[in-house]
Amino acid sequence: MKTYIHQAEFIAAPKAIGTTVPCFSRKLTVKDDQEIAKATLQISALGVYEAEIDGNRVGQFRFAPGWTEYGKRVQYQTYDVTGLVHQESVLSVLLGDGWYAGRIGRDGERDPEKIPCIIAALIVEYADGTTQTVLTDSSWQVLTTPILFSCMFDGETVDFTRELENLGNAVVLERDHDLLIPQEGEEIREIMTLSPVEEIITPKGERVLDFGQNLTGTISVCLSGKRGEMLEVSFAEVLDKDGNFYNDNYRSAKNKIFVTCPGETVNYSPVFAFQGFRYIRLDQCPAETAAQDFAAVVIHSDMERTGDFACGVEPVNKLYSNIVWGQRDNFLDVPTDCPQRDERKGWLGDAQVFCRTASYNFKVDKFFRKWLHDLALAQDAQGRMPHIVPNAFSGELNPSAAWADAATIIPLQMYMTYGDPQFLIDQYDCAKAFVDYVHKAGHEEYLWLDGTHFGDWLGLDAPYGSYKGSTDEGLIASAYFALSTMNLVKIGSAMGKDMSVYRNLYENIIEKWNETYVTGEGCLLGDTQTAYALALVFELVENKQPFADRLAALVKENGNKLKTGFVGTPYLLKALSDNGYTDVAYSLLLQTEFPSWLYPVTKGATTIWEHWDGIRPDGSMWSTDMNSYNHYAYGAVYDWIFGEALGIAPDYENPGFKHVFFTPHPDKRLGFARASLKTKYGLVAAAWHYEGDVVRYEFTVPASCTATVTIDGKSFPLGAGTHRL
Ligand code: BGC
């Protein structure tokens, strides 16, 4: 829909200004004889912007307009600025490179070809019914600012002593106005601030502040110092084994802040840079500025917290807290793999692995709806998916199994959690085109053998020097081909479509998969934990028990420890507990030695790590080339805790928890457990605790909803209300 902003011009700085953040400014002359009934600002940018009217911040959106497939669509925001506009107001807008022109949005380098620009319309409605608009055009002035450099990866440099310069009138750029769409996702906001919990002088003698939590955002500081004095800040997620500041894992992302003090006290916080950190090092700091003058500002998409969990084992509760923080820290408009190194991209594999857990922690329907729309737009005409969305990589698309399959997995999961068929309607064509592509790809019609696959990424059974676990790539890819085909059948069937062609395709894939990868009674090619986990959870094999027996044996032989990577880990516990090995699943969950979910907890983790041994038992670190301490993917274990330990699951026939399945798998080692989720119908909850050897259960079913409880193989119905058994 065309609106005022479509009549405005995209405007840019009149000359090359290097890395300086420009300020676009326009004096408003509103009618002095009329009362303002309403004032609205519609605004967007190719880049990131922050707007002010007379020094008052407009809205609370950080890094607006957010990150979309910029070649296809750019969100604009609409703010009510009624109280801010006066007769002689000045509207000013800061503009940064952001994802559009900065290093983050490309293969790794700033794009000199891309010129950041803004577009805006201020609409003033008077009490007499008349309207006045102020649009961006060449009458806007462009000024330099004290911000000399601001980059999402590298940080910010600010000189408050700098003389500001008027660069003259803005220039108009020819850009496609049809790209502009209204805000679709959640706003990115400052969600909370944390004060330092400790000031440390490290063995190297460096002054470090610990915020007690690995987080995404930045710092704010009430900065006092003599004119010209410097504040220089470095960031880190961890300290090394000697207690020294360690951030080599940031790779080329500099994450540095330099501020030259103006002389008087200022409140400073970086505008267009964010960092993933728990610690800051004060490399230079004026004597007048104390530790308490610093705060960490937590920034992420503003999602409502809807889920909760607790149990009788404290390290598991800490793991849950780490999962929730991992989500906060990586849901910054797009689901990023990590928030700290020179990456921070919307990797499809990570997102699909975590999407169910994500929807059991926070209300993420709006967040994923926007991202899935970009995902569909990023698909090519042949049905191929990129590895990341928005796709910041150049070159031809070459989809990888388990990454590309986000196209079918995430819409179906959102439908299951939220019961909104629009997810299916919006994503059907994309999901179908992807399955059709895989069907046609390569020389085997019913297997997925070609392509550049990430395999069982980071699997511990990887051959020396490789990041890919040893599970056969064709086995994984063809298993996902089956899963995505079945997901497509479910998506289409829920929309009332005849999906018999894809049902047949699915049957053929299953037959071929068994022919190719089942090597004997209960045996799979390669004999890896991941292969069995996929076969069982994706229901690829008919007689599951011998395969489950083999999986349980492999886990036990390995000392109740996993060997799985990105692909196998999310399914490992379910594969066991669905097939008579709940005790083995709990042994894995409660394992505290490397590799396990609780091992990082014993090492003081406050988020989920990329590597099970990001910090090794001897205190050394995993190699710097790939070692994030804030990678949410393995946090998907909450699927199992919520869906199997507590046993709460939605029903495909009545999604959104209109009908709930409760199939709890209690274990005395947890003592008690309880989990809940605020659904659109109300609170769904399950709890159990042990009294001696007796298990007591409690289930909560929202009004107008029904449930089916299954305990010890016996099922019975439940109506709305809280029931104790
Ligand atoms: C990312 C992962 C991602 C992977 C693809 C990495 O660099 O951090 O999380 O899924 O690449 O294999």
Side-chain angles (χ1 to χ4, degrees):
M1 199 191 76
K2 292 262 191 294
T3 174
Y4 291 100
I5 194 168
H6 292 90
Q7 297 160 24
E9 309 275 11
F10 284 95
I11 56 170
K15 55 183 176 190
I17 48 170
T19 59
T20 300
V21 167
C23 176
F24 295 75
S25 172
R26 170 74 151 80
K27 221 183 242 167
L28 312 169
T29 344
V30 298
K31 292 186 195 165
D32 54 359
D33 57 345
Q34 275 298 323
E35 196 188 319
I36 297 173
K38 191 169 183 203
T40 308
L41 179 67
Q42 296 178 335
I43 180 165
S44 186
L46 294 171
V48 279
Y49 74 83
E50 251 187 48
E52 284 185 352
I53 295 176
D54 300 332
N56 296 309
R57 176 86 197 274
V58 174
Q60 296 176 51
F61 200 143
R62 293 295 312 264
F63 311 118
W67 196 8
T68 47
E69 276 291 324
Y70 290 136
K72 306 274 171 63
R73 58 197 209 126
V74 182
Q75 300 179 121
Y76 68 85
Q77 287 72 42
T78 302
Y79 303 100
D80 184 342
V81 291
T82 312
L84 298 182
V85 174
H86 303 104
Q87 208 218 323
E88 289 289 314
S89 285
V90 176
L91 170 60
S92 41
V93 183
L94 294 177
L95 176 64
D97 290 344
W99 296 283
Y100 173 74
R103 295 182 60 201
I104 190 168
R106 295 188 83 213
D107 291 331
E109 292 311 315
R110 186 166 189 250
D111 191 342
E113 308 270 284
K114 291 214 175 121
I115 304 166
C117 51
I118 62 160
I119 182 163
L122 180 81
I123 306 114
V124 182
E125 294 165 64
Y126 294 100
D128 69 353
T130 56
T131 299
Q132 181 190 352
T133 55
V134 176
L135 307 176
T136 40
D137 59 20
S138 58
S139 71
W140 286 53
Q141 297 293 295
V142 185
L143 299 104
T144 61
T145 65
I147 309 170
L148 305 181
F149 175 83
S150 194
C151 163
M152 285 172 164
F153 281 168
D154 293 331
E156 196 161 285
T157 303
V158 176
D159 182 353
F160 283 114
T161 65
R162 195 175 182 231
E163 295 261 316
L164 302 186
E165 193 190 334
N166 188 340
L167 299 168
N169 289 51
V171 293
V172 171
L173 301 182
E174 281 305 314
R175 295 289 178 269
D176 184 359
H177 285 69
D178 290 340
L179 293 177
L180 292 167
I181 57 152
Q183 169 70 19
E184 195 176 74
E186 297 284 8
E187 287 194 5
I188 308 163
R189 288 188 176 191
E190 294 175 8
I191 304 293
M192 62 178 106
T193 53
L194 302 178
S195 297
V197 294
E198 199 184 349
E199 181 171 353
I200 304 167
I201 301 298
T202 67
K204 280 192 184 164
E206 294 170 334
R207 186 178 171 204
V208 169
L209 304 184
D210 175 7
F211 291 98
Q213 174 61 52
N214 199 8
L215 60 95
T216 300
T218 192
I219 54 155
S220 68
V221 54
C222 178
L223 181 63
S224 309
K226 297 187 187 59
R227 187 176 169 81
E229 263 191 306
M230 289 291 298
L231 172 72
E232 180 185 346
V233 179
S234 303
F235 295 81
E237 294 181 285
V238 289
L239 301 180
D240 72 11
K241 66 170 187 281
D242 302 319
N244 284 315
F245 196 75
Y246 176 90
N247 64 10
D248 293 353
N249 63 325
Y250 284 169
R251 303 198 305 212
S252 75
K254 293 191 186 72
N255 290 313
K256 288 281 293 187
I257 288 174
F258 297 93
V259 187
T260 310
C261 297
E264 74 265 20
T265 300
V266 280
N267 287 317
Y268 167 74
S269 184
V271 193
F272 298 131
F274 69 90
Q275 300 83 30
F277 68 102
R278 170 176 167 169
Y279 301 92
I280 58 169
R281 184 177 64 200
L282 302 178
D283 301 307
Q284 299 183 65
C285 183
E288 291 94 318
T289 301
Q292 327 52 294
D293 294 323
F294 289 86
V297 186
V298 176
I299 300 175
H300 56 79
S301 291
D302 190 10
M303 312 162 286
E304 183 191 344
R305 179 81 188 274
T306 45
D308 203 11
F309 166 79
C311 74
V313 175
E314 263 325 297
V316 176
N317 292 332
K318 183 63 185 164
L319 169 68
Y320 177 65
S321 160
N322 294 356
I323 294 167
V324 171
W325 271 100
Q327 179 166 353
R328 285 197 178 109
D329 296 344
N330 282 295
F331 276 48
L332 199 139
D333 210 35
V334 308
T336 59
D337 55 337
C338 55
Q340 74 295 76
R341 68 181 178 218
D342 50 357
E343 197 143 14
R344 314 184 198 184
K345 305 284 198 291
W347 283 94
L348 271 58
D350 308 45
Q352 71 82 0
V353 160
F354 192 74
C355 70
R356 183 180 305 162
T357 286
S359 72
Y360 294 165
N361 286 334
F362 290 88
K363 193 168 180 300
V364 290
D365 51 344
K366 205 170 165 186
F367 176 90
F368 273 117
R369 199 186 303 280
K370 165 199 168 259
W371 188 72
L372 284 171
H373 288 165
D374 287 303
L375 178 124
L377 289 168
Q379 184 177 41
D380 72 8
Q382 295 178 53
R384 296 180 296 190
M385 307 305 304
H387 296 321
I388 56 174
V389 168
N391 189 9
F393 293 154
S394 45
E396 203 172 296
L397 305 187
N398 201 352
S400 162
W403 272 253
D405 297 275
T408 69
I409 294 170
I410 302 179
L412 187 59
Q413 185 57 51
M414 292 304 118
Y415 176 65
M416 294 293 282
T417 304
Y418 298 108
D420 179 356
Q422 198 60 43
F423 276 105
L424 310 182
I425 298 163
D426 289 357
Q427 301 304 130
Y428 176 79
D429 289 345
C430 168
K432 178 175 174 302
F434 166 63
V435 171
D436 289 344
Y437 160 74
V438 178
H439 187 192
K440 278 190 241 111
H443 56 284
E444 270 290 354
E445 188 177 359
Y446 301 123
L447 296 177
W448 187 4
L449 298 181
D450 73 328
T452 311
H453 297 290
F454 295 119
D456 189 20
W457 185 247
L458 306 185
L460 288 170
D461 48 10
Y464 182 76
S466 168
Y467 281 122
K468 292 185 194 176
S470 65
T471 306
D472 185 86
E473 277 182 22
L475 180 154
I476 294 174
S478 305
Y480 271 92
F481 180 21
L483 177 76
S484 272
T485 305
M486 184 36 77
N487 286 348
L488 179 64
V489 168
K490 288 182 182 163
I491 292 171
S493 303
M495 292 166 66
K497 289 182 186 289
D498 173 8
M499 299 305 287
S500 48
V501 170
Y502 291 95
R503 263 182 218 284
N504 286 339
L505 174 61
Y506 176 75
E507 296 304 329
N508 286 322
I509 300 166
I510 294 291
E511 197 182 317
K512 192 76 188 169
W513 195 91
N514 276 266
E515 235 174 78
T516 314
Y517 300 114
V518 177
T519 52
E521 168 80 356
C523 284
L524 292 173
L525 181 78
D527 200 32
T528 63
Q529 292 182 5
T530 290
Y532 292 103
L534 294 186
L536 291 162
V537 177
F538 292 1
E539 314 221 312
L540 304 175
V541 288
E542 210 173 330
N543 175 17
K544 289 185 187 167
Q545 203 53 55
F547 296 94
D549 296 345
R550 182 65 194 142
L551 174 61
L554 283 176
V555 171
K556 285 182 196 162
E557 275 166 28
N558 197 39
N560 283 327
K561 289 177 185 169
L562 50 79
K563 280 199 173 180
T564 47
F566 261 47
V567 165
T569 305
Y571 305 113
L572 183 61
L573 301 191
K574 184 170 166 58
L576 291 162
S577 62
D578 273 359
N579 295 287
Y581 289 104
T582 300
D583 58 328
V584 183
Y586 272 101
S587 296
L588 282 168
L589 177 72
L590 295 171
Q591 176 64 261
T592 51
E593 283 175 19
F594 160 77
S596 67
W597 285 277
L598 294 188
Y599 168 73
V601 172
T602 70
K603 287 284 178 191
T606 59
T607 38
I608 301 294
W609 295 352
E610 181 173 27
H611 292 277
W612 300 110
D613 56 346
I615 298 176
R616 301 200 181 94
D618 67 3
S620 62
M621 312 289 195
W622 181 274
S623 123
T624 54
D625 67 342
M626 195 74 85
N627 190 19
S628 148
Y629 293 99
N630 208 346
H631 235 72
Y632 61 60
Y634 288 149
V637 68
Y638 189 62
D639 285 7
W640 187 82
I641 296 174
F642 183 89
E644 304 294 322
L646 275 305
I648 312 170
D651 175 3
Y652 169 74
E653 302 295 336
N654 292 284
F657 294 92
K658 178 80 184 147
H659 175 254
V660 191
F661 288 114
F662 291 114
T663 315
H665 293 77
D667 187 290
K668 209 171 180 179
R669 284 171 282 179
L670 277 199
F672 78 90
R674 60 167 186 265
S676 63
L677 180 66
K678 225 196 273 176
T679 71
K680 67 173 170 180
Y681 301 108
L683 194 77
V684 172
W688 47 256
H689 70 274
Y690 276 79
E691 284 176 16
D693 284 334
V694 177
V695 191
R696 307 269 180 213
Y697 295 96
E698 187 178 292
F699 302 105
T700 301
V701 183
S704 84
C705 296
T706 56
T708 304
V709 177
T710 305
I711 293 172
D712 296 333
K714 287 188 208 86
S715 299
F716 51 92
L718 278 187
T722 294
H723 310 269
R724 291 192 182 86
L725 306 171

